[in-house]
């Protein structure tokens, strides 16, 4: 257990690189409270690596695992291996950048499930609003992923950098007011690749977005590639799969599945669930659907 503002750090504030932190727990690792495990950098040195291995890892009540950068150095690497990872109540795994350094990367491999719940909870390799560095990349591989109540997996860039890439392998992916984002304010959106062996389920207000130009600026939308057995949504649930742009070109969306239910293709009024790759002032992107059974009027009940 790790409670009540505990702090473990191997960070750097100057030209030297940060250190590494390795945590191995035979059974359960619980980090609880406003504490932090950190290998961040605020100087020109690069952040280090955090490696965590445990059967079950729980992060709750705002705890943060961070390999981020606020300087010219590069963000670090976070590797987590185990059976389950539960991220709750505003807790984060974070390798973001708020300066010139590039955000770090995150690699999570699990044999059971990843559940993320609550606003502010998530896995982030973002570029913050003042960042000039690029966002980082995220790789996730568990049998089940569930994002609920505002939870996010994000490689956004709200500064001037490029969005990061997100690759996710899962048996089932459930989005219930949760989302996966590689959006940018003014540069190229990141790419999102989802390989879902069984079901991708949208239960309402679920988002998968590689939209660019969210600040009404340039940048082409990123590409979204989804391979799944079945994709279920609520047509009136305001679910969105989007690779839009403002002055740049829309990205490409490629979806291969045996079934796709509960989505309209192209712009449609709220609260319809949509798949869009449009641009306000550039060229629209391509939407390629390889789906033998496409039925927007059927979906999944809550």
């Amino acid at each position: 257990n790790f409670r009540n503002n505990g702090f473990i750090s191997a960070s750097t504030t100057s030209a030297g690189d940060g250190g590494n932190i390795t945590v191995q727990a035979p059974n359960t690792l619980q980090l609880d409270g406003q504490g932090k495990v950190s290998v961040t950098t605020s100087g020109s040195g690069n952040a280090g690596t955090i490696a965590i291995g445990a059967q079950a890892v729980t992060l709750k009540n705002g705890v943060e695992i961070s390999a981020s950068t606020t300087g010219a150095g590069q963000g670090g690497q976070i590797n987590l291996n185990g059976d389950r990872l539960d991220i709750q109540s505003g807790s984060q795994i974070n390798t973001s950048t708020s300066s010139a350094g590039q955000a770090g990367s995150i690699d999570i491999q699990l044999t059971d499930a990843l559940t993320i719940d609550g606003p502010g909870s998530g896995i982030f390799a973002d570029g913050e609003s003042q960042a000039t560095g690029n966002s980082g990349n995220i790789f996730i591989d568990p049998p089940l992923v569930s994002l609920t109540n505002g939870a996010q997996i994000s490689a956004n860039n709200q500064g001037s950098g490029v969005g990061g890439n997100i690759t996710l392998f899962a048996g089932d992916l459930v989005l219930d007011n949760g989302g996966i984002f590689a959006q940018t304010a003014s540069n190229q959106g990141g790419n999102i690749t989802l390989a879902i062996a069984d079901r991708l389920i949208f239960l309402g207000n679920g988002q998968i977005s590689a939209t660019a130009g969210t600040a009404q600026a340039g940048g082409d939308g990123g590409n979204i590639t989804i391979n799944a057995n079945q994709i279920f949504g609520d047509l009136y649930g305001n679910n969105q799969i989007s690779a839009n742009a403002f002055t740049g070109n829309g990205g490409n969306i490629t979806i291969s599945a045996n079934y796709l239910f509960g989505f309209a293709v192209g712009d449609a009024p709220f609260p319809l669930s949509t798949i869009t790759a449009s641009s306000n002032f550039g060229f629209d992107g391509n939407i390629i659907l390889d789906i033998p059974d496409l039925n927007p009027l059927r979906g999944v009940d809550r």
Side-chain angles (χ1 to χ4, degrees):
N1 287 330
F2 179 89
R3 295 178 179 271
N4 299 328
N5 302 308
F7 194 84
I8 299 173
S9 177
S11 300
T12 178
T13 60
S14 61
D17 291 345
N20 301 321
I21 296 175
T22 300
V23 179
Q24 291 289 336
N27 295 307
T28 299
L29 174 65
Q30 180 171 291
L31 307 182
D32 183 355
Q34 297 295 318
K36 192 172 187 179
V37 178
S38 174
V39 294
T40 59
T41 175
S42 57
S44 58
N46 297 327
T49 296
I50 298 174
I52 296 176
Q55 287 186 10
V57 178
T58 300
L59 312 179
K60 60 183 182 179
N61 295 320
V63 75
E64 184 177 358
I65 297 174
S66 178
S68 299
T69 175
T70 60
Q74 305 301 300
Q77 169 87 22
I78 297 176
N79 301 320
L80 192 149
N81 293 273
D83 294 340
R84 291 187 58 89
L85 170 60
D86 298 297
I87 304 175
Q88 309 167 12
S89 51
S91 296
Q92 298 183 1
I93 294 176
N94 193 328
T95 63
S96 299
T97 177
S98 59
S99 188
Q102 181 166 316
S105 57
I106 298 171
D107 187 311
I108 296 174
Q109 301 193 41
L110 306 167
T111 60
D112 187 359
L114 167 64
T115 63
I116 309 177
D117 179 76
S121 301
I123 298 171
F124 301 95
D126 291 340
E128 307 298 340
S129 59
Q130 63 272 36
T132 57
N134 297 333
S135 301
N137 298 323
I138 299 173
F139 178 86
I140 298 172
D141 185 5
L144 170 65
V145 177
S146 174
L147 306 180
T148 56
N149 298 317
Q152 296 185 22
I153 297 171
S154 172
N156 289 339
N157 200 307
Q158 299 308 312
S160 59
V162 174
N165 298 323
I166 298 173
T167 303
L168 187 151
F169 290 85
D172 291 320
L173 170 60
V174 180
L175 302 177
D176 185 1
N177 189 27
I180 299 173
F181 301 94
Q183 301 183 140
T184 58
S186 61
N187 208 325
Q188 172 74 38
N191 298 319
I192 298 173
T193 302
L194 306 178
I196 311 301
D198 195 0
R199 297 171 300 173
L200 171 52
I201 300 174
F202 294 80
L203 290 176
N205 296 308
Q207 293 192 61
I208 298 171
S209 177
T211 290
T214 58
Q216 296 188 341
D220 296 337
N223 298 320
I224 298 174
T225 303
I226 300 174
N227 291 282
N229 181 23
Q230 302 175 81
I231 302 173
F232 296 99
D234 176 358
L235 182 60
Y236 297 96
N238 190 36
N239 300 299
Q240 310 292 330
I241 301 173
S242 59
N244 301 327
F246 189 71
T247 61
N249 299 326
N252 297 319
I253 298 176
T254 303
I255 300 176
S256 299
N258 289 319
Y259 304 97
L260 172 61
F261 300 148
F263 281 87
V265 179
D267 294 327
F270 175 87
L272 289 182
S273 298
T274 58
I275 301 171
T276 56
S278 61
S279 175
N280 287 42
F281 297 102
F283 293 104
D284 291 345
N286 297 311
I287 298 175
I288 301 169
L289 303 179
D290 180 11
I291 298 161
D293 191 347
L294 174 62
N295 187 342
L297 300 181
R298 294 177 61 188
V300 61
D301 294 329
R302 278 185 173 275

